[in-house]
Amino acid sequence: MLPWIQLDTAKIPGGGELRLKSRGTEFSIMLGTNELMNSRLSGSEEALATLAFERISGHKRLHILIGGLGMGFTLRAALAVLPADGKVTVAELVPAVVDWARGPMAEIYAGSLDDPRVAIHVGDVGALITKSKGHFDAILLDVDNGPDGLTREANDGLYSHDGLRKSKAALTRGGVLGVWSQGPDPYFTRRLKDCGYGAEEIPVRAGKTGRGKKHMIWMAKNGPVPQKG
């Protein structure tokens, strides 16, 4: 078996360090001993985009905010379903991750960063959300391994009651907040409901073919989810 090779490291503003590794054609982004992303496992990250689009497809001139570029799985899935007049803003805190996307992992991204519908915002997604009122039809967060600040403590604010209310204010009417997690968190579901979202918990397999570990995706609508009759 081929050994892992470390290609680069990048400091995270506020603490921590990311490591980009490769093994043949496989890539991994690590934070300490935690693997944040692996190029072989993209199913649940893609579902974050497609599940959101199903809930906002009737909106005009869609604008989606993706928090965390990662390996671009959510971005490419969004572009695959987004109309020509739609837009995607990707907020990435660590500039080196954008460099990796255009450098060693360019083949994985398949030119998606050059799509005219895409804008890259290098900076804190939380700050962007705070200053955007009624701006996005979907906010998709995949900046940690769940609804807590794994990559940096400041991210805790994204998932607090205050942070969730700020995301709600940044959404259009009927928009959705999507959050990716490596597993369930009933306390987070409760916080979403406390803040007036209609919260759905959707388990999704890590692999594209329905195999692999189960991850959790929350789809939280800006307004209650209609009850099934």
Side-chain angles (χ1 to χ4, degrees), residues 27-46:
F27 290 89
S28 175
I29 296 177
M30 304 285 295
L31 173 66
T33 59
N34 293 297
E35 184 174 62
L36 300 180
M37 284 290 223
N38 185 289
S39 59
R40 294 188 299 105
L41 300 171
S42 61
S44 57
E45 287 85 359
E46 292 170 357

Side-chain angles (χ1 to χ4, degrees), residues 105-139:
M105 293 194 292
E107 188 172 340
I108 295 175
Y109 281 84
S112 56
L113 296 186
D114 299 319
D115 190 298
R117 296 170 292 175
V118 175
I120 301 297
H121 172 84
V122 178
D124 180 17
V125 68
L128 182 58
I129 288 170
T130 298
K131 69 180 184 182
S132 304
K133 304 301 181 184
H135 199 68
F136 302 110
D137 298 286
I139 297 172

Side-chain angles (χ1 to χ4, degrees), residues 38-184:
N38 185 289
S39 59
R40 294 188 299 105
L41 300 171
S42 61
S44 57
E45 287 85 359
E46 292 170 357
L48 182 61
T50 55
L51 288 169
F53 180 76
E54 289 170 5
R55 288 155 178 78
I56 60 171
S57 59
H59 292 209
K60 304 297 183 185
R61 293 183 294 280
L62 288 167
H63 191 175
I64 295 173
L65 171 63
I66 297 175
L69 177 58
M71 292 186 178
F73 300 136
T74 303
L75 171 60
R76 293 199 307 281
L79 292 174
V81 295
L82 199 65
D85 63 354
K87 294 193 297 182
V88 181
T89 297
V90 181
E92 174 52 54
L93 182 67
V94 183
V97 174
V98 181
D99 295 336
W100 296 344
R102 296 190 181 280
M105 293 194 292
E107 188 172 340
I108 295 175
Y109 281 84
S112 56
L113 296 186
D114 299 319
D115 190 298
R117 296 170 292 175
V118 175
I120 301 297
H121 172 84
V122 178
D124 180 17
V125 68
L128 182 58
I129 288 170
T130 298
K131 69 180 184 182
S132 304
K133 304 301 181 184
H135 199 68
F136 302 110
D137 298 286
I139 297 172
L140 309 180
L141 298 179
D142 184 10
V143 294
D144 296 288
N145 267 9
D148 58 67
L150 173 68
T151 54
R152 62 177 192 146
E153 288 185 8
N155 283 357
D156 281 337
L158 290 170
Y159 317 108
S160 67
H161 285 90
D162 182 58
L164 292 175
R165 291 188 185 103
K166 287 177 178 176
S167 288
K168 199 167 190 288
L171 288 168
T172 58
R173 188 172 184 177
V176 293
L177 170 65
V179 178
W180 183 97
S181 174
Q182 63 178 350

